[in-house]
């Protein structure tokens, strides 16, 4: 599927994949059924954005607040992550896709932690698209761990506190080596960030839609890219300044 719009694709797309539970409930099925369908959409999204020339795709798979869900759902989600990675890592490699995980993984069991590391190791040299999967991730956690890392360096005498600037702070974040997010997509009808990336969303274009994640089709993914291409990103400048620059 191609677009008639000529603007370059976003370098970094991030997505809150919301609506799996409601998708299942509408079909009188357990929420875990919706999450399984959600994995299929995730696979399609990875293929779609790789084909579209996006360099980084960051997916919110499990937030630090998701531990508050019923224990059964949390355990089913953990099993699903493990199975999905076991069965899809080879294919990611064949497609030239690197996968890595951001978030505090210390709370996951040893089996899942080992699989996260193995999938990262096997795909680490792939360059077509990097998929950053946020697991036990929260924007507040990320900012706090970055502040701690800098504070430790200041305490050790390696860094002057007055020398800390925005690029230096950004480099300590979990996505320190990524460009800031160009396009944020949230499916499922809610219009909020839900403690996803905070620093990286400073100048991001937002795309919200009501479609539940399992129904989010390639046509709608393309609509999000087309909408992005129509936006004028001013980064604080005026429209006239940008138009004058040609
Ligand atoms: C939000 O829907 C979705 C989740 C909390 C889980 C998302 C995870 C996947 C799609 C699987 C991805 C897998 C890998 C390996 C990256 P919800 O349960 O909040 O839906 P609701 O708002 O309708 O209740």
């Amino acid at each position: 599927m191609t677009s008639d719009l000529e603007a370059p694709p976003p370098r970094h797309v991030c997505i809150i994949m919301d609506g799996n539970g409601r998708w299942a409930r509408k079909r009188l099925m357990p929420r875990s059924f919706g999450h399984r369908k959600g994995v299929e959409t995730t696979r399609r999204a990875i293929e779609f954005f790789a084909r579209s020339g996006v360099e980084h795709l960051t997916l919110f798979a499990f937030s630090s607040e998701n531990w508050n869900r019923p224990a059964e759902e949390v355990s089913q989600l953990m099993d699903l992550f493990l199975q999905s990675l076991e069965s899809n890592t080879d294919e990611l490699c064949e497609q030239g896709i690197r996968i890595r995980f951001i978030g505090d993984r210390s709370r996951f069991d040893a089996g899942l932690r080992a699989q996260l590391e193995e999938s990262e190791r096997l795909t680490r040299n792939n360059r077509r698209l990097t998929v950053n999967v946020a697991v036990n991730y929260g924007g507040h956690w990320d900012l706090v761990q970055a502040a701690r890392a800098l504070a430790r360096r200041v305490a050790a005498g390696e860094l002057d506190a007055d020398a800390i600037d925005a690029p230096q702070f950004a480099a300590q974040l979990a996505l320190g080596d990524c460009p800031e997010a160009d396009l944020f997509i949230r499916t499922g009808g809610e219009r909020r960030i839900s403690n996803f990336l905070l620093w990286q969303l400073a100048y991001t274009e937002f795309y919200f839609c009501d479609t539940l994640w399992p129904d989010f089709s390639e046509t709608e993914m393309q609509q999000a890219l087309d909408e992005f291409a129509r936006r004028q990103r001013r980064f604080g400048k005026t429209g006239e300044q940008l138009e004058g620059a040609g």
Side-chain angles (χ1 to χ4, degrees):
M1 205 173 312
T2 56
S3 163
D4 51 359
L5 297 166
E6 294 295 328
R11 291 184 66 196
H12 183 182
V13 175
C14 57
I15 310 184
I16 297 190
M17 312 179 284
D18 197 12
N20 295 341
R22 280 167 285 160
W23 186 92
R25 285 295 184 217
K26 273 167 66 176
R27 288 159 180 78
L28 306 179
M29 297 294 282
R31 294 173 56 84
S32 57
F33 182 66
H35 293 313
R36 283 204 302 279
K37 290 300 282 188
V39 172
E40 290 173 25
T41 306
T42 306
R43 290 181 45 153
R44 286 203 306 274
I46 291 171
E47 282 167 26
F48 174 85
F49 287 109
R51 274 202 311 278
S52 303
V54 166
E55 295 167 42
H56 282 273
L57 179 65
T58 302
L59 303 171
F60 209 5
F62 193 84
S63 78
S64 35
E65 291 75 30
N66 284 151
W67 295 107
N68 298 324
R69 293 190 172 201
E72 191 190 359
E73 181 172 346
V74 171
S75 147
Q76 285 165 343
L77 272 169
M78 296 299 142
D79 289 347
L80 186 64
F81 294 148
L82 187 59
Q83 286 161 20
S84 304
L85 292 169
E86 280 170 354
S87 51
N88 289 303
T89 299
D90 287 351
E91 198 190 322
L92 290 173
C93 264
E94 281 159 27
Q95 293 181 14
I97 290 164
R98 178 181 182 199
I99 192 161
R100 59 185 188 173
F101 302 90
I102 58 167
D104 178 5
R105 40 183 106 175
S106 63
R107 210 168 149 183
F108 295 133
D109 74 31
L112 181 54
R113 285 206 308 270
Q115 181 61 52
L116 299 182
E117 279 167 26
E118 180 71 350
S119 295
E120 285 179 328
R121 192 182 63 76
L122 290 170
T123 65
R124 70 179 183 272
N125 294 321
N126 298 338
R127 289 289 171 266
R128 190 162 156 244
L129 168 73
T130 297
V131 178
N132 306 297
V133 184
V135 283
N136 193 19
Y137 179 87
H140 288 169
W141 168 84
D142 201 1
L143 294 171
V144 168
Q145 68 80 26
R148 279 194 192 133
L150 289 169
R152 274 195 293 269
R153 290 180 53 204
V154 170
E158 296 164 13
L159 182 65
D160 176 358
D162 290 325
I164 298 172
D165 56 10
Q168 208 161 20
F169 189 87
Q172 299 299 324
L173 295 165
L175 291 181
D177 58 351
C178 280
E180 289 188 11
D182 298 303
L183 173 63
F184 166 103
I185 298 173
R186 182 172 188 150
T187 63
E190 310 290 0
R191 267 78 174 147
R192 55 177 169 252
I193 299 176
S194 298
N195 198 20
F196 192 24
L197 307 172
L198 295 177
W199 178 280
Q200 296 86 348
L201 293 178
Y203 274 105
T204 304
E205 298 295 329
F206 286 78
Y207 181 90
F208 293 102
C209 66
D210 292 334
T211 309
L212 303 176
W213 179 249
D215 289 331
F216 193 57
S217 64
E218 274 106 327
T219 306
E220 277 199 83
M221 295 173 202
Q222 186 61 52
Q223 273 168 16
L225 291 186
D226 290 348
E227 169 72 29
F228 175 80
R230 283 191 289 271
R231 304 262 177 100
Q232 186 187 51
R233 305 188 75 197
R234 291 198 287 275
F235 298 101
K237 293 186 177 175
T238 66
E240 289 77 12
Q241 280 177 300
L242 293 174
E243 277 143 31

